[in-house]
Amino acid sequence: MDKRLLNVSLLGLAFMFVFTAFQTMGNIEKTILKSIQNDYPSFTGDGYTSLSIIYIVFALCNWISPSIVSFAGSRLAMFIGACCYTMFLVSFLWPTTFLLYFMSAVIGFGASVIWTGQGAYLTLNSDSSTMSRNSGVFWALLQMSMFLGNTFVFFALHDKNHLDESTRTLVFTVLIAVCFLGTLLFLLLRSPLSSEGTENERGETLSPIQEIKNSLSLFLTEDMCLLNMSFFFTGLHLSFYSGVYSSSIGFTTSMGTNSKQLVGLSGILIGVGEILGGFLFSILGKKTSDNNIESKGFSHSAVVALGFIINIVAYGLIFINLPDESPFGDTTAKSFIEPNQYLAIFCSFLLGFGDSCFNTQIYNVIGQRYSENSAPAMALFKFMQSIAAAISFFYSNHFGMYVQLTLLVITLIMGTLSFFKVDKSIDNR
């Protein structure tokens, strides 16, 4: 294994542990906070509100995160971000409404720093011939988190209709320990290497004001304006599969007495879809050699087209399988068909696979199109994605399943067409 691939693999491993904890918590947060409210009526914290705060702060901080990464270097920036994730999880041991929302803001800042640093570090360890492979390897390792964390939740919540305090404490303690391990792994990352094998830790350090000006200029370019539609869709899709869909399965009592356990199983299948997509597209994606001759493989647009089809099928099946009231809480309402456990879990897999289709190709395009400006480009990607996620988590308390699915379909169409246009312009350069 060459040193740059080893760097990318260790990066993916660190993210895997941190996001095993965070994505698992995001998947069950609405459900677990409902159980805390039942035990402590004075606690009024809401899972969707918490996640909305996270992504609002995440979005805003993306405008300053490039300057932080530029000053501190990508490795230190990611370590700082990971510490914020650990602090957020620790706060659940002492559930108070203020602490929940305050730490949601803290992790929002940490998310902007860790993801901007990740984009810079991945790009610095890749070139045009390895970007597809490296982004696929990173994405597959990252999404192992969905599988590992939710496997634990599946067994921890076995046959539990109410999540009592001892169960919650066990879940929180395990997730905190896993996140702390991932945080420590960031300290083992080595300086990113250029294609010549020399250390390449930082570019030119600019003032925060100049970084914001550069990001704004990049934000207004034609390609970035088009990509913003794709970014926005991935944010709505992210919030739906990570915070809304699995909880909706758990709230649908017609699924059976084990509906709460299905929350963890749904997360597992989302992770399986993400992992399969990451490995598949790292192997089958087009690769470009030093003389700019592409080897055979699926183009970026072909993979996104596959993701479009997969997501449309998933949304359609969810539309007929879950009742409109399912995102809000336990419901006995009927859907177009009798709610089916197997169909619900199959849709979880489709949501994960469809998400990997879009995200792996977005990483590829950012790495190729903005290789000299990767930190601001990644920050803008996460800005638009997190704005969309914040909006989605906010309206998830007000819009039923059918309206949410309609919005997803509309943005999916717009995001797919926008990606096609940008990818074509890159091929023509």
Side-chain angles (χ1 to χ4, degrees):
M1 183 182 294
D2 66 81
K3 292 182 179 179
R4 293 198 296 166
L5 180 56
L6 186 60
N7 283 353
V8 171
S9 299
L10 185 57
L11 175 70
L13 196 62
F15 268 79
M16 182 189 76
F17 281 109
V18 170
F19 282 86
T20 290
F22 174 69
Q23 290 191 1
T24 303
M25 179 57 72
N27 197 39
I28 65 174
E29 186 173 357
K30 180 72 174 181
T31 305
I32 212 160
L33 291 183
K34 279 284 187 181
S35 68
I36 294 176
Q37 290 173 6
N38 292 334
D39 290 346
Y40 304 99
S42 61
F43 178 79
T44 59
D46 177 74
Y48 292 156
T49 303
S50 167
L51 290 164
S52 183
I53 292 171
I54 289 173
Y55 285 101
I56 289 172
V57 176
F58 185 5
L60 296 176
C61 288
N62 273 307
W63 290 97
I64 63 171
S65 58
S67 60
I68 296 175
V69 172
S70 177
F71 175 78
S74 55
R75 291 179 298 164
L76 179 58
M78 288 187 288
F79 174 74
I80 293 171
C83 289
C84 295
Y85 279 80
T86 304
M87 292 164 58
F88 171 75
L89 292 166
V90 169
S91 70
F92 279 87
L93 293 173
W94 299 277
T96 64
T97 304
F98 170 78
L99 186 60
L100 171 67
Y101 293 153
F102 175 75
M103 294 310 300
S104 297
V106 169
I107 198 175
F109 165 77
S112 69
V113 175
I114 199 172
W115 280 109
T116 303
Q118 178 271 338
Y121 190 81
L122 181 65
T123 302
L124 290 171
N125 278 288
S126 307
D127 52 39
S128 59
S129 65
T130 60
M131 192 67 208
S132 179
R133 178 201 66 186
N134 289 352
S135 59
V137 168
F138 169 78
W139 188 256
L141 286 171
L142 167 66
Q143 296 305 333
M144 281 290 292
S145 61
M146 291 292 292
F147 177 80
L148 296 173
N150 286 290
T151 299
F152 162 69
V153 168
F154 177 76
F155 289 105
L157 304 188
H158 182 65
D159 290 337
K160 290 185 180 291
N161 291 320
H162 173 68
L163 309 183
D164 55 74
E165 186 168 1
S166 62
T167 301
R168 296 195 301 265
T169 301
L170 171 64
V171 171
F172 297 151
T173 302
V174 171
L175 295 183
I176 290 167
V178 171
C179 190
F180 182 69
L181 175 60
T183 301
L184 294 180
L185 286 179
F186 281 105
L187 297 176
L188 302 180
L189 290 176
R190 301 174 304 176
S191 292
L193 301 174
S194 67
S195 57
E196 290 78 24
T198 58
E199 290 193 359
N200 189 20
E201 174 63 36
R202 305 177 191 173
E204 179 185 0
T205 301
L206 302 177
S207 68
I209 298 299
Q210 188 59 48
E211 287 282 9
I212 292 174
K213 288 181 178 179
N214 288 351
S215 295
L216 185 59
S217 297
L218 182 60
F219 185 72
L220 297 175
T221 60
E222 180 182 359
D223 281 355
M224 187 58 73
C225 286
L226 289 168
L227 284 173
N228 281 336
M229 286 307 307
S230 303
F231 300 163
F232 193 86
F233 161 71
T234 63
L236 294 188
H237 187 78
L238 165 69
S239 60
F240 182 74
Y241 80 73
S242 66
V244 177
Y245 181 64
S246 295
S247 295
S248 297
I249 295 175
F251 290 144
T252 305
T253 57
S254 300
M255 287 285 179
T257 56
N258 65 335
S259 61
K260 294 294 185 288
Q261 191 179 13
L262 292 175
V263 175
L265 186 58
S266 172
I268 292 171
L269 268 293
I270 291 171
V272 170
E274 297 275 15
I275 295 164
L276 178 62
F279 278 125
L280 188 64
F281 303 135
S282 68
I283 296 171
L284 299 180
K286 279 188 177 180
K287 299 176 177 60
T288 307
S289 60
D290 292 336
N291 57 3
N292 293 324
I293 298 176
E294 287 185 336
S295 64
K296 290 183 179 180
F298 289 117
S299 67
H300 304 320
S301 291
V303 175
V304 167
L306 175 62
F308 174 85
I309 296 170
I310 293 292
N311 284 327
I312 286 291
V313 171
Y315 299 155
L317 293 176
I318 293 168
F319 185 85
I320 64 174
N321 193 43
L322 293 185
D324 190 41
E325 298 87 348
S326 57
F328 304 133
D330 288 341
T331 178
T332 57
K334 299 298 181 182
S335 52
F336 287 95
I337 63 173
E338 185 68 24
N340 184 282
Q341 294 186 8
Y342 300 104
L343 185 58
I345 298 305
F346 176 64
C347 288
S348 300
F349 170 79
L350 294 181
L351 290 175
F353 191 84
D355 185 61
S356 71
C357 291
F358 273 83
N359 277 279
T360 54
Q361 303 317 301
I362 285 173
Y363 279 119
N364 283 335
V365 167
I366 288 177
Q368 293 179 16
R369 176 70 178 82
Y370 304 103
S371 58
E372 302 300 322
N373 216 11
S374 58
M378 179 58 68
L380 291 176
F381 167 36
K382 291 299 177 181
F383 168 73
M384 287 302 298
Q385 189 180 62
S386 52
I387 280 287
I391 293 172
S392 176
F393 281 122
F394 174 76
Y395 69 55
S396 292
N397 275 323
H398 307 283
F399 293 165
M401 179 63 70
Y402 300 158
V403 174
Q404 293 193 44
L405 289 171
T406 300
L407 294 173
L408 282 166
V409 169
I410 293 171
T411 54
L412 169 61
I413 294 171
M414 298 174 66
T416 301
L417 294 176
S418 299
F419 185 92
F420 287 168
K421 185 170 178 60
V422 174
D423 191 40
K424 184 177 180 180
S425 70
I426 293 174
D427 288 340
N428 291 335
R429 284 191 173 94

